[in-house]
Amino acid sequence: MTKGNGEDPKPGSRMERIQQGVRKRTLLAKKKVQSITKDDVKSYLMRNAFVLFTVVAVILGVILGFSLRSYKMSYREVKYFSFPGELLMRMLQMLVLPLIVSSLVTGIAALDSKASGKMGVRAVVYYMSTTIIAVLIGIIIVVIIHPGKGTKENMHREGKIVQVTAADAFLDLIRNMFPPNLVEACFKQFKTNYEKRKFKVAIPPNDTSTVTSIISNVSEAMEALTRMREEIVPVPGSVNGVNALGLVVFSISFGLVIGSMREQGQALKDFFDSLNEAIMRLVALIMWYAPLGILFLIAGKIVEMEDMGVIGGQLAMYTVTVIIGLLIHAVIVLPLLYFVITRKNPWVFIGGLIQALVTALGTSSSSATLPVTFKCLEEINGVDKRVTRFVLPVGATINMDGTALYEALAAIFIAQVNNFDLNFGQIITISITATAASIGAAGIPQAGLVTMVIVLTSVGLPTDDITLIIAVDWFLDRLRTTTNVLGDSIGAGIVEHLSRHELKNRDAEMGNSVIEENEMKKPYQLISQENENEKPIDSETKM
């Protein structure tokens, strides 16, 4: 067959075109490298100063931490040494509460209900998809590598585990979505506690009603009256920490109402917009201190950690398995997902997030990293503020890819060390409960250990065996937090790309409404100006 021009296509033409393209790009790259001047290097260093300082701080923190381990510092000395890092955590946590509320209210209020609804659906579909993928990766990796081969007799145990019922944990999640007191939600979360209570045992009815039988059994009747039974019952309680889920639900609802109020809600829109801007300026100030704080956070944790000898063969293999799983999700799955949907280079996008990722590694808290994530996405990657203000606070609260992967993997690891063969149905149960539990995991350090109890209880595994993995959890917690932050950020980029048409339409509508408002206000402003010009004359005549 011949083409329209009557010539056969050359078999090597496609390869030649590819080779020519590679040559052109190589020549362009050489020209760019040759044209770099000292001023270019200086401007690059100035632009990326924060990122470079933060990366250097992590490296110095690791070196300093390992070099100080030989001094065998006491617990008090370690706390004093870690104090600059503790200050950074407190500064970031101080900004989380106003940032979540102001960003969500302004983000939702800036969109109409239809656009925010579509954006919300896209965000939730992304969160659920990536969490399910993360759980599947965790299950596949742990089944293939099988790190729990052997027995748990010689494994090191550490810490204590608080027992929790899956049903109560699920109900607590729903209760926290609707806090009865917004002020209390700023520093407390509802949590079901358990206590022992005594109950009287019911006396079975006696068939014989004769006087003789009553008299003969009077001693037994008296014993039955005084007989009590003990039962563990759930009672309402609370734990310290910001109820982020409740504040997110309230802020979304409040933002939708303000958005529907139009001119009446403009004053509240302006207030929350100004609050958000003020918080972001405070974040910019704290960023100067962040490298120093991260240095001491990492160094202090390395100095504080137990002797490395406790990490035996099984625990070491478990650590390697978790790292491989998190790397597959963070380095392959998430960038591939971003590229497939947006057709943009994911590594350029991830490059703009380095400071947020390093901060997550240092602080081990996705909520504390939230201010830095906002700054990276909005200022470096140029993501629309209406998207970041909606997607990031929700993502930091419910999207926990790294935690979901870790919980599914750790549950199967504990089953392996107990020589407990899981059937297909139990693996499905683990995947569902790990997904649900990760949503309820608060964005605070080591929250995954608490929700791990729910996952183990669902398939009848011993919850006390969580103590086997606590020795390495401080390190793995940092890696899964970094994965969580990366997942939230890539989600913001994907949602922005999918919502670009709605955002453009909204911009056009806002532009038209501003022009109409200005035209409406012109005659009023002219009248007010005329009245102002007349006022001095009236006042002069009255004097």
Side-chain angles (χ1 to χ4, degrees):
M1 290 291 290
T2 58
K3 290 201 172 185
N5 57 5
E7 292 178 4
D8 291 324
K10 294 179 182 178
S13 60
R14 185 176 291 177
M15 282 300 297
E16 283 174 9
R17 282 201 303 272
I18 292 168
Q19 286 172 359
Q20 283 174 3
V22 170
R23 285 194 206 102
K24 281 180 183 178
R25 287 189 179 184
T26 308
L27 287 169
L28 283 170
K30 279 182 181 177
K31 284 178 182 177
K32 280 184 181 178
V33 170
Q34 287 168 359
S35 62
I36 290 172
T37 60
K38 285 183 179 179
D39 292 331
D40 293 332
V41 174
K42 280 182 183 178
S43 65
Y44 174 81
L45 292 173
M46 287 296 288
R47 281 198 315 274
N48 298 283
F50 281 133
V51 177
L52 294 170
F53 284 148
T54 311
V55 172
V56 169
V58 171
I59 295 164
L60 289 176
V62 172
I63 295 166
L64 184 63
F66 279 109
S67 59
L68 290 174
R69 277 181 66 80
S70 57
Y71 289 94
K72 307 286 183 185
M73 293 166 74
S74 66
Y75 181 78
R76 183 185 290 271
E77 287 169 341
V78 170
K79 285 295 169 191
Y80 289 156
F81 176 73
S82 305
F83 182 69
E86 185 188 342
L87 277 184
L88 175 66
M89 282 292 290
R90 294 175 78 89
M91 287 178 192
L92 291 171
Q93 285 168 347
M94 171 184 70
L95 300 180
V96 168
L97 176 64
L99 189 63
I100 286 175
V101 175
S102 64
S103 62
L104 268 174
V105 170
T106 51
I108 297 292
L111 298 163
D112 57 9
S113 57
K114 192 178 178 183
S116 59
K118 282 184 178 179
M119 195 182 289
V121 168
R122 285 167 187 147
V124 169
V125 168
Y126 167 80
Y127 295 152
M128 293 307 297
S129 304
T130 53
T131 305
I132 291 165
I133 290 167
V135 167
L136 292 174
I137 290 169
I139 290 169
I140 292 164
I141 290 294
V142 75
V143 168
I144 291 170
I145 297 176
H146 207 286
K149 196 175 182 180
T151 60
K152 62 180 180 181
E153 301 303 323
N154 298 323
M155 289 182 72
H156 172 75
R157 289 181 182 270
E158 197 174 295
K160 290 181 179 179
I161 297 302
V162 179
Q163 297 299 325
V164 63
T165 309
D168 289 329
F170 179 69
L171 291 174
D172 284 352
L173 183 68
I174 297 170
R175 288 186 187 110
N176 280 319
M177 288 170 72
F178 306 101
N181 188 332
L182 273 178
V183 176
E184 191 181 45
C186 297
F187 55 88
K188 274 188 179 179
Q189 297 179 32
F190 185 92
K191 184 181 182 295
T192 300
N193 293 327
Y194 301 93
E195 63 177 39
K196 287 183 180 179
R197 285 191 183 174
K198 290 184 178 180
F199 296 93
K200 286 181 181 179
V201 177
I203 304 166
N206 197 354
D207 293 334
T208 57
S209 57
T210 59
V211 176
T212 53
S213 63
I214 293 170
I215 293 166
S216 62
N217 294 325
V218 71
S219 57
E220 290 178 16
M222 290 301 292
E223 280 179 20
L225 284 169
T226 55
R227 200 177 296 153
M228 307 287 281
R229 65 181 172 85
E230 276 192 351
E231 191 177 325
I232 296 171
V233 294
V235 292
S238 61
V239 289
N240 291 328
V242 177
N243 180 5
L245 196 60
L247 292 173
V248 162
V249 171
F250 170 77
S251 301
I252 289 172
S253 308
F254 197 57
L256 284 169
V257 170
I258 291 173
S260 65
M261 288 169 68
R262 298 186 181 278
E263 288 80 10
Q264 283 180 307
Q266 192 59 46
L268 279 171
K269 272 187 198 176
D270 293 341
F271 167 74
F272 282 107
D273 208 18
S274 298
L275 178 62
N276 190 263
E277 187 60 33
I279 296 298
M280 290 313 295
R281 291 191 184 191
L282 279 174
V283 172
L285 290 174
I286 290 172
M287 284 304 94
W288 289 101
Y289 178 73
L292 183 69
I294 288 168
L295 189 153
F296 282 97
L297 270 174
I298 289 175
K301 200 66 197 177
I302 290 171
V303 171
E304 188 184 349
M305 73 179 181
E306 295 289 329
D307 184 21
M308 298 297 283
V310 302
I311 302 174
Q314 287 166 295
L315 202 56
M317 279 302 294
Y318 162 74
T319 307
V320 170
T321 308
V322 174
I323 292 169
I324 291 169
L326 292 173
L327 280 174
I328 289 170
H329 189 70
V331 178
I332 298 171
V333 174
L334 292 176
L336 188 64
L337 202 62
Y338 180 83
F339 173 74
V340 168
I341 295 170
T342 66
R343 297 292 173 183
K344 294 176 186 174
N345 187 345
W347 300 109
V348 173
F349 187 84
I350 293 168
L353 299 168
I354 288 173
Q355 194 173 7
L357 299 177
V358 172
T359 306
L361 188 70
T363 60
S364 184
S365 169
S366 52
S367 293
T369 312
L370 194 58
V372 190
T373 314
F374 266 107
K375 194 169 177 60
C376 290
L377 279 174
E378 291 176 4
E379 294 184 11
I380 299 172
N381 285 345
V383 178
D384 195 303
K385 286 185 178 182
R386 289 168 293 183
V387 176
T388 56
R389 287 173 181 181
F390 174 67
V391 173
L392 285 183
V394 178
T397 309
I398 66 168
N399 185 36
M400 303 278 177
D401 295 350
T403 306
L405 185 150
Y406 157 83
E407 286 183 353
L409 195 154
I412 295 174
F413 170 75
I414 288 169
Q416 289 173 354
V417 296
N418 282 284
N419 294 317
F420 188 87
D421 292 326
L422 296 168
N423 58 38
F424 183 72
Q426 288 171 318
I427 289 173
I428 293 295
T429 305
I430 285 173
S431 63
I432 292 167
T433 49
T435 305
S438 69
I439 294 168
I444 54 173
Q446 295 186 331
L449 283 177
V450 180
T451 52
M452 174 69 78
V453 177
I454 301 166
V455 181
L456 294 179
T457 308
S458 67
V459 287
L461 289 168
T463 53
D464 288 340
D465 284 354
I466 295 173
T467 55
L468 298 171
I469 59 176
I470 288 178
V472 292
D473 189 71
W474 70 271
F475 173 65
L476 296 177
D477 188 27
R478 281 163 159 69
L479 297 180
R480 63 178 184 259
T481 302
T482 309
T483 307
N484 292 341
V485 171
L486 180 64
D488 296 343
S489 305
I490 284 179
I494 288 172
V495 170
E496 186 203 32
H497 178 78
L498 295 174
S499 307
R500 61 194 184 280
H501 299 303
E502 285 92 343
L503 294 170
K504 281 178 185 177
N505 293 338
R506 184 66 177 165
D507 287 337
E509 285 173 18
M510 289 296 288
N512 292 335
S513 64
V514 167
I515 291 164
E516 285 171 13
E517 280 176 20
N518 289 339
E519 286 175 355
M520 293 267 297
K521 286 177 182 177
K522 271 179 186 175
Y524 172 77
Q525 287 172 349
L526 288 170
I527 291 165
S528 66
Q529 284 168 2
E530 284 170 12
N531 290 340
E532 283 172 9
N533 292 334
E534 289 170 6
K535 276 179 185 175
I537 299 165
D538 293 340
S539 61
E540 280 175 13
T541 54
K542 285 178 182 177
M543 282 295 285

